């Protein structure tokens, strides 16, 4: 498995708040369900354009412990497989053409700030490496950057 790590990022929230937000995926379903229709259509259009019509917003579902996506006749699932309160949330894929694990490690920096690092491990088959290897390489850093912008 190839392993990719982000640099350490600073999040403007305590580690406890970061952990609570990232360890309960059902919050995302609540946000999705509460989207106004115009915003929902805007997001749907972006998803459709970026996936060349293969994905829809309605094919995405969240529970407390998992996120699922129906695509190309199959259901891809990312599930929380390990939690260490206020320190770690570990996710893993199932039904995916590429087995992946994602660790979100957090540590307090001070009472109102925390540090976060993203580690991504991917089992990329030899024949897929030329197509996806470079894209996965920067993914850990992009995820870490995105996590710094979430309101906790």
């Amino acid at each position: 498995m190839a392993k990719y790590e982000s640099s350490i990022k600073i999040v403007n929230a305590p580690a406890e708040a970061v952990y609570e937000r990232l360890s309960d995926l059902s919050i995302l379903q609540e946000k999705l369900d509460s989207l106004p229709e115009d915003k929902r259509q805007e997001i749907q259009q972006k998803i459709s354009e970026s996936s060349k019509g293969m994905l829809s917003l309605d094919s995405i579902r969240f529970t407390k412990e998992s996120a699922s996506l129906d695509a190309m006749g199959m259901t891809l699932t990312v599930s929380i497989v390990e939690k260490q309160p206020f320190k770690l949330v570990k996710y893993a894929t199932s039904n995916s053409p590429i087995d992946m694990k994602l660790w979100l490690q957090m540590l307090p920096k001070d009472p109102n700030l925390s540090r976060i690092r993203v580690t991504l491990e991917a089992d990329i088959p030899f024949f897929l490496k030329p197509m996806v290897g470079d894209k996965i390489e920067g993914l850990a850093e992009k995820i870490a950057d995105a996590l710094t912008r979430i309101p906790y």
Side-chain angles (χ1 to χ4, degrees):
M1 281 199 165
K3 192 175 191 178
Y4 308 97
E5 286 186 345
S6 73
S7 57
I8 295 172
K9 305 288 182 175
I10 302 297
V11 176
N12 291 318
E16 293 84 2
V18 175
Y19 174 81
E20 292 300 325
R21 179 70 178 251
L22 300 176
S23 65
D24 181 357
L25 299 175
S26 65
I27 294 168
L28 297 172
Q29 187 66 48
E30 292 169 14
K31 294 210 177 278
L32 187 61
D33 292 342
S34 68
L35 283 173
E37 189 56 35
D38 60 330
K39 188 69 171 170
R40 191 174 182 81
Q41 288 177 357
E42 179 185 326
I43 294 170
Q44 176 55 53
Q45 183 177 355
K46 288 179 183 178
I47 290 172
S48 187
E49 287 171 5
S50 67
S51 69
K52 297 183 171 80
M54 292 190 293
L55 299 176
S56 76
L57 195 56
D58 294 329
S59 70
I60 302 169
R61 296 171 309 285
F62 299 95
T63 66
K64 185 171 179 64
E65 298 288 322
S66 69
S68 297
L69 167 70
D70 296 325
M72 299 179 290
M74 55 195 281
T75 301
L76 306 172
T77 303
V78 176
S79 301
I80 296 174
V81 294
E82 183 180 344
K83 294 180 190 179
Q84 293 178 17
F86 317 126
K87 294 180 184 178
L88 171 78
V89 180
K90 188 174 183 180
Y91 305 85
T93 61
S94 58
N95 300 329
S96 172
I98 298 173
D99 286 335
M100 295 176 72
K101 292 182 177 79
L102 177 75
W103 292 265
L104 305 178
Q105 298 165 294
M106 58 216 74
L107 288 171
K109 180 170 173 59
D110 68 35
N112 296 314
L113 295 174
S114 56
R115 290 176 253 176
I116 192 164
R117 177 184 300 201
V118 174
T119 303
L120 180 62
E121 193 175 81
D123 189 11
I124 307 169
F126 178 75
F127 65 91
L128 286 179
K129 273 191 182 180
M131 293 183 279
V132 299
D134 291 343
K135 293 176 182 169
I136 292 175
E137 192 166 350
L139 189 57
E141 196 70 29
K142 288 178 184 175
I143 292 170
D145 286 337
L147 292 173
T148 66
R149 294 188 298 268
I150 293 174
Y152 295 94

